[in-house]
Each structure stands twice: as structure tokens, then as C-alpha cells.
Amino acid sequence: MTTIQNYWKTYASTHPSVQEEIPDAWMFGNGSEKMGNELGKLVVEGIKTATCSAHFLFEMEKEPLPKIGQYDIVLSGNHQPLAIIQTTSVEIVPMKNVSKDFAYAEGEGNRSYDYWYQEHKLFFTELLKEYGRAFTPDILLVCQQFKVVDVWNKFHVRG
């Protein structure tokens, strides 16, 4: 059994209301170890309580959108479990209409809307290039808010 499976099994065994199989386990950011560690640390510290993804990716990959109440396991940059989160809200919003409160909840940089917008514009511009698409402020984002329900081991968080 993997570390991720053991982590979920331990969590589920102490929370009888949890009935789902092992949830998705993933890392925040662009896939780099550095960004995965930095953003994972923000989650563990309770600073990052939101994230967003490009809506078209869910359609292209035929992936279901996140649902309120769903659990996910957040991984570090070296793919080790950091925390279990539970989705508290999901909205599909054009990037230009994302709220200042949501940008703040993403927990990155100085937590300002301007910082959030510039960093996400860069991120989505690069992502869209990979799919032969151009960035526009109208890109639909899946804006997900969550709460941390368990931290695996704070000593494994590096940043």
C-alpha cells in the first residue's frame, strides 16, 4: 500500500461518515517541485483556501468538475501527501470577473487582486499555448474553495 493510500485509510478509519474510496491526489501549480512545495505549504498553513483551473481542460479531458463536499489529497512537490482538503464551493467564472475575495483566498504573493490577476494571466497564457489557444480575460475558470480537514505531517512540508 502506498503512503497516499495509507494516509487516506487512516483518515477514513477515524471519520466514520467518510465513505468514499481514495480521492484524487494532486499537486498545486505547474508541476514543478518548487511550486508544488510552495503552494502546498500555503495550504497546510491555512493561507491558501482556494484554487482555480481552466474550464476547457475539464471538457477536453472528460473530467468531472469538483463537487461541494468532495475530498482531495494535496501532494508536495515530491509527490508526498501533505493534507486532505474538502471542497466548500465551486463556481465557473470568467477570469475577468473573479472576485478580490477569491484572489485573496488563493493565498499567493501579497494576496492582492492585481498580483493574482498578473500571475494567473501568465500561467493561463502558457497553458493555453500548449493547446493552441490564446489567452483572453473571458477564459472560464473553475473557482474552487476548500478547507483543510487533515494535515499529514507538517515536518514534510518544505518551501
Side-chain angles (χ1 to χ4, degrees), residues 46-62:
I47 296 168
K48 182 173 184 61
T49 60
T51 191
C52 62
S53 306
H55 184 264
F56 83 91
L57 288 177
F58 289 93
E59 293 175 330
M60 286 183 64
E61 297 174 8
K62 295 181 174 48

Side-chain angles (χ1 to χ4, degrees), residues 139-155:
I139 181 177
L140 289 178
L141 301 182
V142 178
C143 295
Q144 177 182 0
Q145 293 191 306
F146 56 85
K147 63 182 178 180
V148 174
V149 296
D150 192 72
V151 173
W152 180 58
N153 184 341
K154 289 184 183 183
F155 300 107

Side-chain angles (χ1 to χ4, degrees), residues 6-149:
N6 280 330
Y7 179 36
W8 180 252
K9 183 179 175 186
T10 301
Y11 178 79
S13 71
T14 59
H15 296 82
S17 64
V18 175
Q19 306 236 340
E20 66 183 70
E21 293 187 26
I22 297 172
D24 287 339
W26 44 270
M27 177 176 44
F28 283 101
N30 61 8
S32 73
E33 182 176 350
K34 181 178 188 278
M35 187 176 274
N37 285 338
E38 288 171 0
L39 297 179
K41 183 177 181 189
L42 293 175
V43 170
V44 169
E45 292 173 346
I47 296 168
K48 182 173 184 61
T49 60
T51 191
C52 62
S53 306
H55 184 264
F56 83 91
L57 288 177
F58 289 93
E59 293 175 330
M60 286 183 64
E61 297 174 8
K62 295 181 174 48
E63 291 284 329
L65 293 174
K67 294 182 176 133
I68 293 173
Q70 100 177 21
Y71 294 94
D72 290 286
I73 299 172
V74 176
L75 302 177
S76 68
N78 60 356
H79 304 282
Q80 293 302 306
L82 292 175
I84 297 171
I85 60 172
Q86 187 175 28
T87 301
T88 58
S89 73
V90 179
E91 281 187 289
I92 299 172
V93 181
M95 184 165 161
K96 67 183 182 187
N97 294 342
V98 168
S99 72
K100 289 179 181 179
D101 288 342
F102 185 85
Y104 183 84
E106 282 236 29
E108 299 170 33
N110 66 9
R111 300 180 86 176
S112 71
Y113 178 82
D114 289 340
Y115 178 89
W116 177 89
Y117 192 89
Q118 290 307 315
E119 289 300 310
H120 283 76
K121 180 179 178 181
L122 290 171
F123 178 82
F124 288 119
T125 296
E126 289 303 310
L127 176 69
L128 289 162
K129 277 184 195 174
E130 294 175 25
Y131 293 90
R133 297 179 179 211
F135 173 82
T136 76
D138 293 312
I139 181 177
L140 289 178
L141 301 182
V142 178
C143 295
Q144 177 182 0
Q145 293 191 306
F146 56 85
K147 63 182 178 180
V148 174
V149 296

